[in-house]
Amino acid sequence: AAWATGNNMNTTLDALGGDGTQTAGLAFGGYNGTANSVVTEKYNGTNWTTTGNMNTARRTLEGVGTQTATIAFGGYIAANSAASESFDGSTWTNTPSLNTAIRVMGAAGTQTAALSFGGDDPSVTTGQTEEWNGASWSISPASLNTARFEVTGTGLQTAALAVGGEVPPFTGATEEYDGTSWATSPVSL
């Protein structure tokens, strides 16, 4: 019913990816103030532990899954990245790349059924959606109705939400994805 302060990460970062649960969290990539990072840390509900590094250092990436089954994708290196890699709880493995290099996008799903949507490509705000089937990324024929970046995503590949973001200006638009198409919700933030 209330927020409580937890222990700090071992590495100070911003613009990092993350997923998991409150007692089995995962944080990866990001920016340490001078360079992009490959650092990965696990959270057990109390403490952070450094684990296997990512293969590609980048920030403003996304990821979905659990502490022991994650896929991380996109982001920014010196330009937008299409890199994609999976994590098994200790080691990152490169996977086929996104079709479009993208950053600050939304994400939903699992390690074997993920979505990437919206984002900055690199100077164009996009509504493009890509689907991951556990082996490859494909561009969905359905795009967000409101193209935006810094959008938040949640849910599954066939039942996802895209919430908020920046068009610009900021938007409270909420959209629902059913695995085939995006529908604008009558309720926004």
Side-chain angles (χ1 to χ4, degrees):
W3 288 97
T5 302
N7 290 323
N8 292 338
M9 292 180 66
N10 296 298
T11 308
T12 302
L13 297 165
D14 75 349
L16 60 158
D19 58 33
T21 66
Q22 184 184 32
T23 57
L26 191 67
F28 43 88
Y31 184 70
N32 67 16
T34 58
N36 292 328
S37 175
V38 294
V39 169
T40 303
E41 294 193 29
K42 294 180 182 179
Y43 186 68
N44 65 10
T46 304
N47 295 307
W48 290 94
T49 305
T50 303
T51 186
N53 287 340
M54 298 185 78
N55 295 307
T56 304
R58 58 197 190 274
R59 63 183 183 248
T60 64
L61 69 161
E62 278 292 346
V64 296
T66 66
Q67 191 182 69
T68 58
T70 288
I71 184 158
F73 44 91
Y76 182 82
I77 301 172
N80 283 358
S81 173
S84 178
E85 49 191 293
S86 63
F87 185 68
D88 64 8
S90 60
T91 305
W92 289 95
T93 303
N94 290 330
T95 60
S97 296
L98 291 160
N99 292 284
T100 303
I102 198 83
R103 65 178 172 185
V104 292
M105 63 287 195
T110 66
Q111 184 189 43
T112 57
L115 281 178
S116 171
F117 46 87
D120 179 41
D121 170 28
S123 60
V124 176
T125 301
T126 182
Q128 179 174 290
T129 300
E130 291 200 37
E131 298 180 351
W132 169 255
N133 65 9
S136 64
W137 289 96
S138 61
I139 297 174
S140 168
S143 289
L144 290 168
N145 294 301
T146 302
R148 53 199 140 147
F149 60 96
E150 295 181 355
V151 56
T152 295
T154 189
L156 301 174
Q157 190 182 67
T158 56
L161 285 177
V163 183
E166 188 170 350
V167 175
F170 298 117
T171 181
T174 300
E175 296 185 42
E176 301 170 356
Y177 188 69
D178 63 7
T180 305
S181 61
W182 289 98
T184 301
S185 171
V187 180
S188 293
L189 290 173

